[in-house]
Amino acid sequence: MKTATLNRGKETKYLNEYPLVSEDDIYAHDHLHEGDLFQLLNDKDQYIATAYVGRQHKGIGWVLSYSRDEIVNTQFFERLFDIAKKEREYFYNVEGTNAFRVFNGEGDGVGGLTIDNYNGHYLVQWYSKGIYKFRYNILSALKAIFGYTSIFEKLRFKDANVEGGFVDGDAPEFPIVIEENFTFYNVHLNDGPMTGIFLDQREVRKKLKDQYAQDKNLLNLFSYTGAFSVVAAENAEMTTSVDLANRSRALTESNFGLNSIDPASQYIYVMDTFNFYNYARRHDFFYDTIVIDPPSFARNKKKTFSVLKDYDKLIVGALDILGPEGTLLLCTNNSTFSLKAFKNVVTETLTKEEVDFEIIDVMGLPKDFKTHAHYKPSKYLKAIFVKIQ
């Protein structure tokens, strides 16, 4: 096995089980190539950890083990998958939900790899060329540990020279229907990078429905397939969904119909969010609850949007069309945007706008999205409910 020597003083964070190996921490790494296993050594050639090369998040790879004698093979992944499955026993048995994450990257011991269960249809996502080199071992382990109807894969790294798609089992016709908290959604596992629903927002959607939708006029921005709108519609007076993508309308209508809600009874706009703000102001539209869940970065023909730079503009625009005693649900999944920094943006923006407000709920990832105690970016999801007085 190859070795890599840490620069003096850099071993402390890895001894504290930090999972992402930084290039800057290693004396030399030209000999390390995607998929290589290597031992991390300190400047006295003492063993620290075993890692693999998989460039991601400005790191050269991820730690897999802290035992020099451990062999990284199919049995290694079987052991981790078995632990992960047992930790999610609740989700395999709960009523009303049949879609959840069964293996969450570094949280479960292998950075760069996630596996989701969509009602028996498993989706493996590979985030680097390096982890993809272990494809045979990982798929063999998955088949041994998880009972499945089908397996699909998505390659989420640049310059992938193969396409993802169907891997094994009985291939379904898409869309398949999954259930989440007794609400139904259409899912596609072989259509681009996304599936039709973000499973990490499951508990946030439930909170919205149970506490912030009853008899409310709800606006859902960056609505994608309308998941927030659909879950709220049962209790809300009215929902409005807004997304720039042309196909968002059909996907949202389909999800409404799946839940026996007439799509014509709800409002759906294919429009840029900031253009909608202007449109709503001109028509005196006001909303009791506004959901803002933007992508980290977006570009259209006229402008670009960055969560880190432009989130305050989203908040300011929403205030103009928020009714009395209204609620903002502010979300971001940007791992570089810490909860502290995000709360500061929210607080500073609202203070500058001279409105009275109260942060009443702060939520993160659900339990199936297991995080790593020593790697803050693994807690990437932030959802803040703000009451505007």
Side-chain angles (χ1 to χ4, degrees):
M1 186 183 297
K2 294 182 177 180
T3 61
T5 301
L6 291 164
N7 293 318
R8 182 174 295 179
K10 294 295 184 179
E11 68 272 16
T12 302
K13 69 179 183 180
Y14 300 104
L15 289 171
N16 290 330
E17 300 188 358
Y18 188 81
L20 184 64
V21 182
S22 170
E23 290 186 6
D24 294 338
D25 292 345
I26 298 174
Y27 176 71
H29 51 77
D30 292 344
H31 62 299
L32 298 177
H33 307 291
E34 290 286 324
D36 284 348
L37 287 170
F38 65 97
Q39 292 183 348
L40 272 179
L41 309 177
N42 66 13
D43 61 325
K44 298 179 181 178
D45 288 336
Q46 295 172 321
Y47 174 85
I48 303 296
T50 300
Y52 82 91
V53 180
R55 289 174 173 82
Q56 188 185 352
H57 299 317
K58 299 182 180 180
I60 194 173
W62 297 92
V63 172
L64 292 176
S65 176
Y66 296 93
S67 171
R68 189 168 203 158
D69 298 326
E70 185 152 37
I71 300 172
V72 179
N73 54 15
T74 300
Q75 289 70 40
F76 169 83
F77 292 106
E78 285 182 359
R79 178 178 63 81
L80 292 183
F81 289 173
D82 186 56
I83 293 171
K85 182 180 180 182
K86 289 177 179 176
E87 290 180 343
R88 291 161 175 84
E89 183 177 359
Y90 166 83
F91 296 97
Y92 279 98
N93 295 288
V94 67
E95 291 186 8
T97 296
N98 58 23
F100 51 93
R101 180 150 291 185
V102 299
F103 194 87
N104 193 42
E106 64 277 5
D108 283 298
V110 183
L113 173 73
T114 65
I115 306 174
D116 295 315
N117 173 17
Y118 293 89
N119 192 24
H121 302 280
Y122 281 69
L123 176 64
V124 184
Q125 298 191 79
W126 316 92
Y127 287 86
S128 71
K129 291 181 180 179
I131 194 61
Y132 192 70
K133 294 289 182 70
F134 295 91
R135 182 177 185 271
Y136 172 80
N137 302 102
I138 289 170
L139 292 179
S140 297
L142 188 159
K143 294 173 186 179
I145 299 300
F146 298 104
Y148 62 91
T149 301
S150 71
I151 300 174
F152 283 77
E153 64 181 354
K154 290 184 186 292
L155 281 61
R156 303 297 296 271
F157 52 90
K158 294 181 179 180
D159 303 322
N161 56 13
V162 295
E163 293 185 3
F166 176 72
V167 175
D168 193 43
D170 297 324
E173 290 187 10
F174 290 113
I176 60 174
V177 177
I178 62 99
E179 186 176 11
E180 178 192 277
N181 293 319
F182 301 97
T183 302
F184 300 95
Y185 302 95
N186 286 311
V187 167
H188 297 259
L189 300 184
N190 64 348
D191 184 19
M194 297 188 288
T195 66
I197 191 167
F198 297 112
L199 296 179
D200 53 6
Q201 290 275 27
R202 179 178 60 251
E203 296 306 315
V204 180
R205 282 189 285 270
K206 186 176 188 301
K207 174 81 73 171
L208 176 71
K209 175 184 178 180
D210 291 347
Q211 299 185 26
Y212 302 99
Q214 189 67 47
D215 300 325
K216 303 297 185 183
N217 192 359
L218 180 137
L219 172 62
N220 179 17
L221 301 170
F222 305 96
S223 57
Y224 183 31
T225 61
F228 280 114
S229 304
V230 171
V231 75
E234 180 181 335
N235 294 339
E237 179 179 330
M238 179 61 65
T239 71
T240 299
S241 305
V242 179
D243 197 287
L244 183 61
N246 286 324
R247 67 175 189 163
S248 65
R249 178 186 294 277
L251 293 171
T252 300
E253 290 176 343
S254 180
N255 276 331
F256 275 128
L258 195 60
N259 290 275
S260 301
I261 300 168
D262 182 1
S265 69
Q266 311 295 317
Y267 291 103
I268 302 173
Y269 294 87
V270 178
M271 189 180 294
D272 171 80
T273 290
F274 293 101
N275 290 342
F276 180 80
Y277 282 159
N278 294 330
Y279 176 82
R281 283 197 297 267
R282 289 199 307 270
H283 290 80
D284 292 324
F285 293 164
F286 291 95
Y287 302 92
D288 304 301
T289 301
I290 300 179
V291 180
I292 304 178
D293 186 20
S296 294
F297 182 83
R299 176 186 287 115
N300 61 31
K301 294 180 180 179
K302 296 182 179 180
K303 54 189 173 183
T304 61
F305 170 83
S306 166
V307 157
L308 294 173
K309 296 180 180 179
D310 301 317
Y311 209 114
D312 59 334
K313 300 180 182 67
L314 289 175
I315 296 171
V316 172
L319 292 176
D320 288 341
I321 55 174
L322 186 68
E325 302 292 317
T327 300
L328 299 177
L329 169 52
L330 308 172
C331 307
T332 179
N333 65 356
N334 190 316
S335 61
T336 64
F337 206 174
S338 70
L339 176 58
K340 181 179 179 180
F342 186 40
K343 288 175 87 171
N344 284 342
V345 167
V346 173
T347 300
E348 290 172 6
T349 302
L350 293 174
T351 300
K352 186 177 180 181
E353 292 300 307
E354 298 182 344
V355 296
D356 294 326
F357 66 94
E358 180 184 3
I359 293 176
I360 47 181
D361 271 311
V362 178
M363 300 182 69
L365 291 166
K367 290 184 178 180
D368 50 320
F369 281 72
K370 186 177 179 181
T371 60
H372 194 291
H374 303 291
Y375 184 62
K376 290 183 179 180
S378 71
K379 300 177 182 180
Y380 62 86
L381 180 66
K382 283 77 64 174
I384 300 177
F385 291 84
V386 186
K387 189 74 171 180
I388 307 298
Q389 307 299 332

